[in-house]
Amino acid sequence: MILDKLLLIALVFAALWTVMTRSLLKAALGLAVTSAMIAIVLFRLDSPLAGVFELSVCAGLITAVFISAISLMKPLTHKETIALSKARIKRYWFLPVIIAAVACIFSKSAIPTGIRVLPQAVELNVQEVLWNSRSLDLFGQIVIVLAGVFGTVILFRENNKK
Amino acid sequence: MIALIIILFVAGLYCILVTRNLMRVLIGLELLTKAVTLLLIVAGYATGRQALAQAIVITLIMIEVVVMAVMAGVILSIYRHTGSLDASNVKSLKG
């Protein structure tokens, strides 16, 4: 239980760091850490397959995409960084206050924030659900992946022409 | 747990609303998606339907990856075109 609470607190701090850090690269790494922690939470909630996907795809692949996109951009000069950091402090100081307020509201209100587990429904395993009950989802996934591939190809083909 | 999901959602929404940097908007969107992922899994855990929740989350993650890859490509194109990541520079869509 203490481990779970520590994990959730660390998750909040990782998300806050992702949003508030100055460097884009650090923000991408913060996002990867957040994803990895969410993967651990998914494992703890008896969802290992979703956890594996979260860890490999979100913490791995998406971070790689972010970092490669960021590495193709020119870094800011020292003057620009200082000017931006002053503006950032003004814009972002409010976020920890909002999060503290949300935490206070949920800790004091009567809204049930815990998880009340209902009796286990008779259900198939993930493979059977994915291949039998939700087979249309797989078709949608294939279409979306193809759309993404063609979209990316068109984007970079236009750049080559220019 | 619900509080954590709301905190993640608020952080992502705040990131999208406050910043003008397109890459940060994408990071905010990613945080929002993570909150939804966690909400689906918690709902599946609470109702005892983890398999269905996991199947939906796998679909969600696939959509998330494609959206992120395409959006990163679009942002890169915008950066090459305008020389900045500022969303306020992208005002005119000439077709």
Side-chain angles (χ1 to χ4, degrees):
Chain A
M1 272 307 197
I2 293 172
L3 185 70
D4 285 343
K5 281 182 184 171
L6 282 177
L7 186 66
L8 298 185
I9 290 167
L11 182 50
V12 170
F13 276 108
L16 267 180
W17 191 64
T18 303
V19 174
M20 296 186 76
T21 186
R22 236 182 314 171
S23 156
L24 270 179
L25 201 62
K26 283 179 187 168
L29 291 176
L31 199 62
V33 172
T34 311
S35 282
M37 284 179 178
I38 286 177
I40 298 171
V41 173
L42 298 189
F43 276 110
R44 304 277 298 168
L45 290 174
D46 291 338
S47 303
L49 203 60
V52 166
F53 263 80
E54 180 74 28
L55 194 61
S56 60
V57 178
C58 294
L61 183 64
I62 291 182
T63 309
V65 169
F66 272 139
I67 289 176
S68 35
I70 291 166
S71 67
L72 290 173
M73 293 163 190
K74 202 173 62 180
L76 293 175
T77 59
H78 186 64
K79 267 187 181 176
E80 286 171 334
T81 311
I82 291 170
L84 272 179
S85 64
K86 280 179 186 168
R88 278 182 61 75
I89 291 168
K90 281 182 192 167
R91 276 185 281 158
Y92 280 90
W93 72 269
F94 206 54
L95 181 60
V97 178
I98 290 177
I99 287 183
V102 169
C104 278
I105 289 167
F106 273 87
S107 61
K108 301 225 168 140
S109 70
I111 303 167
T113 54
I115 305 168
R116 191 165 54 97
V117 181
L118 295 177
Q120 185 77 29
V122 179
E123 202 186 21
L124 307 166
N125 61 24
V126 186
Q127 287 85 355
E128 283 169 337
V129 170
L130 204 56
W131 288 106
N132 300 330
S133 314
R134 312 284 305 179
S135 51
L136 204 60
D137 284 7
L138 291 175
F139 178 70
Q141 285 182 29
I142 294 167
V143 172
I144 284 168
V145 168
L146 284 177
V149 169
F150 288 130
T152 315
V153 166
I154 286 169
L155 275 174
F156 284 98
R157 196 177 59 185
E158 275 188 346
N159 281 337
N160 286 340
K161 275 184 188 171
K162 281 173 192 169
Chain B
M1 187 60 88
I2 304 294
L4 169 77
I5 292 166
I6 290 175
I7 285 171
L8 269 182
F9 200 84
V10 167
L13 203 60
Y14 194 88
C15 187
I16 289 176
L17 291 177
V18 164
T19 187
R20 282 195 301 254
N21 186 318
L22 289 168
M23 214 63 196
R24 282 192 189 278
V25 171
L26 207 57
I27 287 171
L29 193 68
E30 179 79 12
L31 277 178
L32 287 182
T33 321
K34 292 203 185 312
V36 174
T37 304
L38 213 50
L39 183 64
L40 282 170
I41 291 294
V42 168
Y45 184 77
T47 54
R49 289 178 169 259
Q50 282 104 332
L52 181 63
Q54 286 187 78
I56 294 172
V57 163
I58 288 167
T59 309
L60 174 72
I61 288 173
M62 290 303 295
I63 295 170
E64 186 185 340
V65 169
V66 172
V67 167
M68 290 303 145
V70 173
M71 283 305 293
V74 170
I75 290 171
L76 214 55
S77 298
I78 289 172
Y79 178 76
R80 283 179 181 167
H81 195 71
T82 64
S84 106
L85 286 175
D86 198 336
S88 56
N89 289 338
V90 195
K91 282 180 180 167
S92 56
L93 291 174
K94 291 183 179 171

